[in-house]
Amino acid sequence: MTLQTQQHPEISSVNHLNRQIIVILDFGSQYSELIARRIRETQVYSEVLSYRTTAEQLRQLNPKGIILSGGPSSVYDSGAPHCDPEIWNLGVPILGVCYGMQLMAQQLGGEVERSQQAEYGKASLMIDDPTDLLTNVEDATTMWMSHGDSVTRLPEGFETLAHTDNTPCAAIADHERKLYGVQFHPEVVHSLGGQALIRNFVYHICDCEPTWTTAAFVEESIREIRAKVGEKRVLLALSGGVDSSTLAFLLHRAIGDQLTCMFIDQGFMRKLEPERLVKLFQEQFHIHVEYVNARERFLAAIEGITDPEEKRKRIGHEFIRVFESESKRLGPFDYLAQGTLYPDVIESADTNVDPKTGERVAVKIKSHHNVGGLPKDLRFKLVEPLRKLFKDEVRKVGLSIGLPEEIVKRQPFPGPGLAIRILGEVTSDRLNILRDADFIVRQEINRSGMYGELWQAFAVLLPIRSVGVMGDQRTYAYPIVLRLVTSEDGMTADWAKVPYELLETISNRIVNEVKGVNRVVYDITSKPPGTIEWE
């Protein structure tokens, strides 16, 4: 994947011979990342950069097009974010979305004012010019609005392409200069003609070809990994999740036995998972994994701890200590491979650069554990081939290079594992109870055929006991909470309306097969106000 340049660490270098790029300048919109995803769905590479990116930096990237995102500000406010006005002279097609359209109008001589009537939610788009940007977008189609300001006077050379009942200038264009603006958000699913509009901009206006494919990414990544690493050794902390597993496959294909995978078993994995992971990688995939059994260390580290944040902190610190000692035992290593994904890059402004070499170095480990920083004296150069991919793109890459579906489609699992699905103190007995209950939940969800329909399905153990009766005998045992949710991205979630028969089967099996449990309850709380995980 592309590596960061030393001159402008926030700008990626792009192989212009092999890749076209659409740049999104981010003005603080909650949808900037979504715009990038929609562009990539057209099989054209896109990247989100700060609105502070200069015209000269953009010229070096040689983008096929630029999109200005929405944002929470008003363009006429003091301190509102503005882009470099020289971008209008780059000769590159530009699309302004919401705030981006208003900024375009203002900087090019138009006027933007507070609307008499704000417009939020669905609106019917009446098309005045069905060509160019709005080709194949149906008249009166639904688009998603979210604005309190409007363009009240167009800049010279612009014309109106579409309007709504409340917004006279809902889409505008300077066809000669290939400058376009839309007041709505074509990137959200509520905008029914949104993807057609985006395809028009990408293909017809920016003249892009659909070259951003999984096969092209794999080929380019292998070439770049080999060029970067040479004959040096690479260390990867393997979790068994889709990110680290895909990364392991990709690295092994590129550098073979120069890769060392380390799996730290902290004792909080689900039933049979550690054994299954090591056997799968070593016997079926022929990728060597250094298995580190640290179960007793981790359990001792959180003994008596009930606060969830303290649990996470202690697990994180212990992971660092184990990782440090084991990497020294197995090393030396020149490179640390991390499964950093593009959302991590967008959200994090941290770029740690070695002043001598210009290489990014690790003062953090971004693994499935979310464990915080590695010691500053434990310095590796980073290999992050997935850092330009979104999660769904990683899954596609994983499938294309032979990763089995059981890993590719694995539901999200928290880094601290079952330790944060046991409320209160974590003990060996409670871990065993939860493992057995969770195993039944996963078995029955798989048998029902609903695994792929759920974002997450798991069990939670509460640190309380209730009275029950089994075989005419009084019991005093733990309750298990079932948490089954549906979601698109984990940011919001709803409890799953699964068949009662499925809940009944899970409940009957748990209370009959798991010693220490006499009650099963179902969590019907959405996110928000609740969270998906209980801790």
Side-chain angles (χ1 to χ4, degrees), residues 289-432:
V289 177
E290 287 285 344
Y291 172 79
V292 180
N293 187 342
R295 295 182 180 185
E296 291 185 5
R297 287 186 58 169
F298 279 88
L299 196 57
I302 61 172
E303 183 178 2
I305 302 302
T306 60
D307 179 75
E309 289 306 309
E310 184 64 20
K311 277 187 201 175
R312 289 178 179 270
K313 185 184 298 184
R314 292 197 178 206
I315 292 170
H317 288 169
E318 193 63 29
F319 182 87
I320 292 169
R321 286 193 288 267
V322 174
F323 183 87
E324 182 178 26
S325 62
E326 293 298 320
S327 63
K328 288 179 179 178
R329 177 179 67 84
L330 298 169
F333 298 96
D334 293 276
Y335 290 92
L336 173 68
Q338 292 192 150
T340 308
L341 302 189
Y342 196 43
D344 302 324
V345 177
I346 295 173
E347 292 169 7
S348 174
D350 294 335
T351 302
N352 305 294
V353 180
D354 188 311
K356 295 181 180 179
T357 66
E359 291 273 9
R360 273 175 33 90
V361 296
V363 296
K364 290 184 178 179
I365 181 165
K366 292 180 181 177
S367 71
H368 69 299
H369 291 274
N370 299 318
V371 293
L374 287 172
K376 290 187 178 181
D377 59 350
L378 187 65
R379 295 175 67 84
F380 299 93
K381 296 173 184 177
L382 294 184
V383 179
E384 299 173 300
L386 308 181
R387 70 187 314 270
K388 292 302 178 187
L389 298 187
F390 292 102
K391 191 77 168 185
D392 58 321
E393 293 173 324
V394 174
R395 295 185 194 278
K396 292 177 183 176
V397 170
L399 285 174
S400 74
I401 59 178
L403 203 62
E405 285 198 5
E406 66 179 277
I407 294 179
V408 172
K409 296 183 178 180
R410 183 177 186 256
Q411 292 179 355
F413 186 66
L418 300 181
I420 60 167
R421 291 181 178 172
I422 296 174
L423 274 64
E425 183 179 5
V426 179
T427 66
S428 294
D429 287 343
R430 289 179 177 180
L431 278 168
N432 290 332

Side-chain angles (χ1 to χ4, degrees), residues 263-303:
F263 172 66
I264 299 175
D265 183 359
Q266 85 296 52
F268 308 136
M269 299 287 283
R270 292 174 289 200
K271 189 173 183 177
L272 303 179
E273 277 195 334
E275 298 84 354
R276 170 66 175 157
L277 174 69
V278 174
K279 184 176 182 179
L280 197 64
F281 271 77
Q282 296 196 154
E283 295 184 10
Q284 185 172 331
F285 307 147
H286 307 294
I287 298 175
H288 178 64
V289 177
E290 287 285 344
Y291 172 79
V292 180
N293 187 342
R295 295 182 180 185
E296 291 185 5
R297 287 186 58 169
F298 279 88
L299 196 57
I302 61 172
E303 183 178 2

